[in-house]
Amino acid sequence: MNSSENVAKTGLSPVVGRTKPRLLGALGPGLITGASDDDPSGIATYSQAGAQFGYSLSWTMLLTYPLMAAVQMISARIGRTTGRGLAGNLRQHYPNWLLQTFVALLTTANTINIGADLGAMADSTCLVLGGSRTFYVALFGAICIGLQVLLQYTRYVSYLKWLTLALLAYVATLFMVDVHWGDALRQFVMPSFTWKTEYIQMIVAVFGTTISPYLLFWQASQEAEDIRAVPERQVLKRAPEQGPDAIRRIEVDTLIGMGISNFIALAIILTTAATLNVSGVTDIETSAQAAEALRPIAGHYAATIFALGVVATGLLAIPVLAGSAAYAVGEARKWPIGLARQPKEAKAFYATIVMATAVGVLLNFTPINPIKALIWCAVINGIVAVPVMALMMLMAANTKIMGQFAIGGWLTGLGWIATATMAAAALAMGVTFFM
């Protein structure tokens, strides 16, 4: 069998062969999803965790990694097996009112998050270059819209992959500061819990940042999109012979993507713990504020690298936030969807991307406090995450939906543990919110 015949039969591209896959070719939706999780809002959360509690919350990254990897793997398998994203499967198999409620909440939370991320990117740019915050908000909003509307899909995905390298800024910053590695390692593997309201709230915030509904919707939709974009790939229910290789690729892609995401989050916690916390700076509200606070403690270069990382991760995360909202809205309303389509072929889909980003820009010119807005965004995500994850688990185990690729075993166990953990976090958030 020649190489072209092998591609046609298995759905593998030459870069993702059966024997010696090239890693970059195998990486895609999982890598981009994981990297986009470390958006400017997430960076602010991790910075606050390190600044307020030192190394004592680093253990959360050890716990969130397997749970995050499991649920993202499940969402990816749903998209690859059915050829539809989560919203499309919800529309197909569950009541319409449930779908519309989830989509409305997801879109609202994503739009608020976009606004906060754009503001953080503008503040970070002002910190490095000076200039007008208003101009930078509008500029970054336009760039993010242009990435999705004007670029060809394959080139767009390639750019997003390269943008993940921006996360190395936080590894570089980590090695520019004086970390007490013995203490950090001890707290990482043998944490000391403090049953204070602020400590519990921060744990909830970290979990809400690492396991978020928009990431689940995005990765499932991207797997479905890749079926449409790569002619050799087919829906697994119709081409089960492609299953083993497709599932192996999803596992590698997701484990690496979520591993990078959690490692970078850990680097940010350790960096701010080793600098801000030991210097008595314990109140950080934005990622740009964290970069500014680093300057007198860790030096100009560390602060600049940290700030530039905020800008680059925002350029990666905002298209994911807007795109996941557009996929969800489009599937819920049976629109033609997909970044592989030309704008004229999916006008409403692209209009949703533009609208979500534009409203995010406008939020920066209203009296709305972006920090308070992010708190409500976290509340919305906490409300949405648990039922979405529970329904996703039921979908993934349903043979009517997944056929022979219904999940089981360790993946089911980890998925339900992640769902229960998020339910506990949401409950804790509700309790502490009224304390």
Side-chain angles (χ1 to χ4, degrees), residues 106 271 400:
L106 175 78
T271 297
K400 290 183 179 179

Side-chain angles (χ1 to χ4, degrees), residues 87-297:
N89 279 289
L90 282 169
R91 177 175 56 79
Q92 196 86 358
H93 303 285
Y94 295 91
N96 183 61
W97 66 266
L98 193 63
L99 167 66
Q100 300 302 335
T101 300
F102 285 158
V103 169
L105 290 172
L106 175 78
T107 304
T108 300
N110 283 15
T111 303
I112 294 171
N113 217 327
I114 289 169
D117 284 354
L118 285 168
M121 292 162 68
D123 290 338
S124 295
T125 307
C126 288
L127 184 65
V128 176
L129 301 178
S132 167
R133 182 182 189 275
T134 301
F135 171 75
Y136 291 133
V137 168
L139 175 65
F140 289 133
I143 291 172
C144 291
I145 290 172
L147 273 175
Q148 295 179 93
V149 176
L150 301 178
L151 285 181
Q152 183 184 10
Y153 177 71
T154 52
R155 181 170 294 181
Y156 163 72
V157 170
S158 177
Y159 284 166
L160 290 185
K161 283 186 184 181
W162 283 109
L163 273 174
T164 63
L165 293 176
L167 295 175
L168 293 175
Y170 299 108
V171 179
T173 306
L174 176 62
F175 288 101
M176 296 175 73
V177 302
D178 184 20
V179 178
H180 297 167
W181 290 105
D183 189 24
L185 181 61
R186 181 179 59 81
Q187 293 281 6
F188 183 62
V189 297
M190 295 186 297
S192 54
F193 295 94
T194 303
W195 297 109
K196 294 182 179 178
T197 300
E198 295 82 3
Y199 189 81
I200 295 171
Q201 286 176 334
M202 187 52 62
I203 292 174
V204 172
V206 168
F207 271 93
T209 299
T210 52
I211 301 176
S212 199
Y214 82 89
L215 301 173
L216 302 172
F217 279 84
W218 170 262
Q219 191 164 353
S221 294
Q222 282 298 286
E223 286 291 340
E225 179 86 356
D226 281 354
I227 295 172
R228 295 187 288 269
V230 181
E232 296 82 9
R233 289 186 184 174
Q234 299 179 50
V235 174
L236 291 187
K237 285 183 71 175
R238 295 198 291 266
E241 70 277 3
Q242 294 186 7
D245 291 304
I247 290 171
R248 191 180 306 117
R249 176 192 57 77
I250 286 171
E251 289 175 352
V252 171
D253 185 22
T254 305
L255 287 171
I256 291 176
M258 302 312 131
I260 291 172
S261 174
N262 280 263
F263 176 69
I264 298 304
L266 177 62
I268 294 168
I269 292 173
L270 295 181
T271 297
T272 51
T275 53
L276 305 185
N277 179 263
V278 298
S279 300
V281 180
T282 59
D283 188 18
I284 297 296
E285 292 188 335
T286 69
S287 51
Q289 198 178 77
E292 189 170 13
L294 276 172
R295 192 189 300 277
I297 301 166

Side-chain angles (χ1 to χ4, degrees), residues 355-379:
M355 184 67 68
T357 309
V359 172
V361 169
L362 293 175
L363 284 175
N364 284 275
F365 305 108
T366 67
I368 298 172
N369 184 308
I371 304 306
K372 289 183 178 179
L374 270 180
I375 292 172
W376 283 108
C377 178
V379 171

